[in-house]
């Protein structure tokens, strides 16, 4: 069920406030609740309250800038991509990395990015990525209803990023979306494509600089 332009999507664990009436089903001697409406404002408010609570904790503990202090190599070729493999976000990120013409070594780590299992799945994916010894981890998910992104506001996911020894780049949701992972990550990008572009641009800049130096060597030798 979607309301208010797709801002609310009902799934397991989402808090809702509904309007309805209670009735009796005589054949089975049971009580029924017939829902006639749902209040999306309540649900969005609950999501935002959860986000603010986690942000307040991270801020109080001085954790927001921890991952951001990690050094990203000038040539980040080993990339772990944590996402729902087979999704549009997965395809967009891979396509954008390929577009830069750099020889990336990409480790694809499948994770649930929505639903009751999403938090534990994303945490497991991030921990796996951190053990690979890569240069950077990309955590991406495409857009959707605001309630589809609740896993990325979860305290467990935030703390998993803070505990990592690898810089994390995020690209979660649409351009207007902002989740807790964006605040605790090394670099927050607006979309999966933008996330891949940030990594690709950094690598391409180093390659271009190296090639320009290589071209300058024969000229300097002749002089």
């Amino acid at each position: 069920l979607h309301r208010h332009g797709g801002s609310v999507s009902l799934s397991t664990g989402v808090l809702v406030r509904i309007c309805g009436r209670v009735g009796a089903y005589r054949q089975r001697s049971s009580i029924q609740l017939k829902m006639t409406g749902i209040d999306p404002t309540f649900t969005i408010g609950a999501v935002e309250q959860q986000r603010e609570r986690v942000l307040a904790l991270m801020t109080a503990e001085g954790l927001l800038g921890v991952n951001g202090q990690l050094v990203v190599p000038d040539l980040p070729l080993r990339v772990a991509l944590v996402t729902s493999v087979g999704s549009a976000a997965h395809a967009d990120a891979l396509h954008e990395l390929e577009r830069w013409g750099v020889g990336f070594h990409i480790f694809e780590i499948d994770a649930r990015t929505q639903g009751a299992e999403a938090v534990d799945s994303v945490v497991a994916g991030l921990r796996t990525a951190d053990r690979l010894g890569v240069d950077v981890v990309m955590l991406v998910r495409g857009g959707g209803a605001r309630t589809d992104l609740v896993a990325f506001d979860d305290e467990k996911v935030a703390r998993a990023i803070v505990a990592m020894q690898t810089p994390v780049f995020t690209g979660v949701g649409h351009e207007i979306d902002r989740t807790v992972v964006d605040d605790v990550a090394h670099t927050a990008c607006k979309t999966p494509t933008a996330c891949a572009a940030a990594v690709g641009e950094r690598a391409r800049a180093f390659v271009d600089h190296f090639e320009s130096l290589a071209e300058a060597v024969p000229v300097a030798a002749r002089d």
Side-chain angles (χ1 to χ4, degrees), residues 29-49:
S29 298
S30 61
I31 301 296
Q32 294 180 327
L33 173 62
K34 294 184 178 181
M35 186 178 73
T36 58
I38 185 171
D39 181 5
T41 304
F42 172 84
T43 301
I44 294 298
V47 170
E48 291 304 317
Q49 286 180 1

Side-chain angles (χ1 to χ4, degrees), residues 60-218:
E61 296 178 30
L63 300 178
L64 292 186
V66 171
N67 194 263
Q69 294 174 1
L70 300 177
V71 178
V72 180
D74 292 331
L75 184 59
L77 292 181
R78 291 169 57 85
V79 179
L81 177 59
V82 180
T83 189
S84 177
V85 172
S87 65
H90 174 229
D92 289 346
L94 290 180
H95 176 73
E96 180 63 23
L97 288 174
E98 181 180 1
R99 188 181 71 82
W100 287 93
V102 179
F104 290 108
H105 186 180
I106 303 170
F107 299 83
E108 300 175 38
I109 302 173
D110 188 32
R112 296 285 185 90
T113 57
Q114 180 178 340
E117 300 176 4
V119 169
D120 290 340
S121 185
V122 171
V123 168
L126 289 171
R127 289 174 177 170
T128 297
D130 201 33
R131 291 194 295 265
L132 292 175
V134 295
D135 298 319
V136 65
V137 174
M138 290 171 47
L139 175 61
V140 304
R141 188 213 189 276
R146 184 63 186 86
T147 48
D148 291 339
L149 307 179
V150 292
F152 299 94
D153 285 325
D154 193 271
E155 183 180 348
K156 290 181 181 178
V157 176
R159 291 190 182 279
I161 292 176
V162 170
M164 293 174 67
Q165 300 301 309
T166 313
V168 176
F169 283 40
T170 58
V172 177
H174 296 298
E175 292 188 2
I176 61 173
D177 293 317
R178 182 83 179 182
T179 59
V180 172
V181 297
D182 295 320
D183 290 291
V184 296
H186 184 285
T187 301
C189 305
K190 293 184 178 299
T191 64
T193 298
C195 182
V199 176
E201 183 177 12
R202 187 180 186 90
R204 185 73 253 177
F206 181 88
V207 171
D208 289 345
H209 178 65
F210 180 83
E211 290 177 347
S212 66
L213 291 178
E215 292 174 356
V217 169

